[in-house]
Amino acid sequence: MAPRKISLALQGGGSHGAFQWGVIERLLEEDDLEIAALTGASAGAMNAVVLAEGLIEGKAAAAAKLEAWWRAVSGADSRNIFGDSSIWTAAFNPDWLRNTPAFGWMQTWASTMSPYDFNPFNLNPLHDVLEKAVNFKALRERSPMQLFISATAVKTSESKIFRREEITARHVMASACLPQMFQAVEIDGVPYWDGGFLANPPLWPLFYEHTPDDILLISLNPFHRPEVPRTPAEIIDRLNEITFNAPLVAELRAIGFVQKLLDQGMLTESARGRYRRMLVHAITADGRLNDLSMASKSNTDWTFLSDLRQRGRLAADAWLKTNLASVEVASTLDLTAPFQ
């Protein structure tokens, strides 16, 4: 019996992307599941390109590639890799310090600085780490995987989708370019910022290409918080989560709206042929990453990344036990309840 095929949609979220690593690693161990397409933004784009290149040689090679990638991130001089800079040091990671007046002052001071000032040479070790970890030539020419990563066009406020056939390390850098920390990445004369501002991750390319009907979303920003944030640090963290979840919520609402039209027979025969019934599933950060602050998205300590990996594996294992049988049959994410 052929394995069930899915597309993975990988949200951005700095070093919390190691949670996705654990999820993907567990999914690769499942014989009855095949990852046939990938879409991602920022850290999700990094996981996507590493996975796509690894799958050229098979699931075992892909799992090994992902581990090697995250070890490289942890072992590199990675202060800038996921949005950190000399402004934010390891001393500012503990949450108790983030809620002090001194930290608030540092945040205000940092917000007055530009990467064009504090990093005039635009140094970013991530580019070199990516070049060593991923054979982009092999990815472009040999991978059978459909792959999409997003970036935000600075001048036009448009979401740009890069496809596997054109992707280089620079395209991934564009997808992960936080403008407070890095200078805009220019590709063919067009400056880009982080793809998560407008597509986090981009789902719509999956609607119009020959991809599986099933989308498995792996998010990194909790949708729900039980408490109202009160400290300056908590407010900034929650605002960050809401901002980077907003484009995803909009796309999920659009999918739900089209499904409703299909279900109620409200589309004409000609229009019906232009729309697909997408089956949506999700492994979310809710209840799994709620204890982590925004500052921890810059933490590349191996112990921390390993903990995230294990959380991802456990989340994937729970999802497989409950929802694997529904793949290619029905959605397991209610597109009306959480997002209306």
Side-chain angles (χ1 to χ4, degrees):
M1 183 177 177
R4 304 166 192 260
K5 294 184 178 182
I6 60 170
S7 299
L8 283 190
L10 305 175
Q11 191 178 48
S15 65
H16 291 187
F19 173 79
Q20 290 175 347
W21 165 32
V23 171
I24 295 166
E25 185 178 63
R26 177 62 186 90
L27 296 179
L28 290 171
E29 296 169 0
E30 191 64 38
D31 292 335
D32 191 26
L33 198 65
E34 178 184 341
I35 300 169
L38 294 162
T39 185
S42 200
M46 298 174 200
N47 278 327
V49 297
V50 173
L51 175 59
E53 198 246 316
L55 283 172
I56 295 173
E57 306 298 333
K59 289 185 174 183
K65 274 275 185 182
L66 280 166
E67 178 167 356
W69 157 249
W70 283 101
R71 285 191 179 276
V73 168
S74 177
D77 178 16
S78 55
R79 297 177 74 180
N80 287 348
I81 279 186
F82 287 113
D84 209 355
S85 77
S86 58
I87 296 173
W88 314 109
T89 67
F92 288 93
N93 281 333
D95 283 346
W96 67 267
L97 190 55
R98 298 175 67 252
N99 292 324
T100 64
F103 183 83
W105 179 84
M106 284 293 294
Q107 281 187 315
T108 301
W109 174 67
S111 67
T112 66
M113 300 186 70
S114 161
Y116 294 86
D117 297 324
F118 66 73
N119 188 9
F121 298 106
N122 204 24
L123 300 177
N124 191 332
L126 176 58
H127 184 275
D128 293 339
V129 175
L130 272 171
E131 288 281 17
K132 292 177 181 178
V134 179
N135 184 338
F136 283 94
K137 186 175 187 295
L139 172 68
R140 292 189 299 270
E141 297 177 359
R142 296 175 50 207
S143 174
M145 184 74 57
Q146 294 205 62
L147 169 63
F148 313 93
I149 66 174
S150 65
T152 300
V154 179
K155 294 182 177 180
T156 61
S157 304
E158 295 176 312
S159 182
K160 171 68 175 180
I161 301 300
F162 299 114
R163 288 166 168 76
R164 189 204 73 240
E165 296 83 0
E166 63 185 314
I167 291 174
T168 67
R170 193 162 183 80
H171 293 83
V172 183
M173 295 284 288
S175 184
C177 179
L178 290 171
Q180 302 92 337
M181 299 299 170
F182 306 115
Q183 297 178 26
V185 177
E186 286 198 9
I187 297 174
D188 297 328
V190 180
Y192 293 101
W193 283 341
D194 194 293
F197 290 119
L198 295 178
N200 196 22
L203 300 182
W204 75 87
L206 302 174
F207 309 160
Y208 304 111
E209 303 288 343
H210 186 62
T211 60
D213 292 334
D214 289 77
I215 301 172
L216 174 55
L217 166 69
I218 308 176
S219 71
L220 298 178
N221 298 306
F223 286 101
H224 303 282
R225 289 282 186 181
E227 304 293 337
V228 175
R230 297 184 181 277
T231 69
E234 292 171 347
I235 291 169
I236 291 173
D237 282 7
R238 188 55 181 154
L239 182 60
N240 176 274
E241 291 171 348
I242 292 171
T243 299
F244 280 100
N245 275 336
L248 174 59
V249 170
E251 285 208 72
L252 290 172
R253 279 181 169 172
I255 295 173
F257 179 68
V258 171
Q259 309 299 20
K260 181 179 179 180
L261 295 180
L262 290 170
D263 291 341
Q264 297 181 354
M266 298 176 68
L267 294 175
T268 64
E269 287 298 324
S270 60
R272 191 175 295 125
R274 297 196 302 270
Y275 294 96
R276 293 172 60 187
R277 182 177 297 280
M278 307 302 294
L279 307 180
V280 185
H281 317 273
I283 297 174
T284 71
D286 292 271
R288 300 180 175 103
L289 302 181
N290 288 60
D291 60 315
L292 304 178
S293 68
M294 185 174 69
S296 68
K297 291 181 178 182
S298 298
N299 185 353
T300 57
D301 178 78
W302 181 248
T303 300
F304 179 65
L305 298 181
S306 298
D307 174 64
L308 290 172
R309 173 195 197 179
Q310 183 60 20
R311 296 189 196 201
R313 287 188 61 87
L314 292 173
D317 198 54
W319 182 84
L320 287 166
K321 289 178 181 177
T322 305
N323 298 308
L324 179 59
S326 296
V327 174
E328 299 183 345
V329 177
S331 292
T332 56
L333 177 66
D334 185 348
L335 294 175
T336 60
F339 307 109
Q340 297 302 321

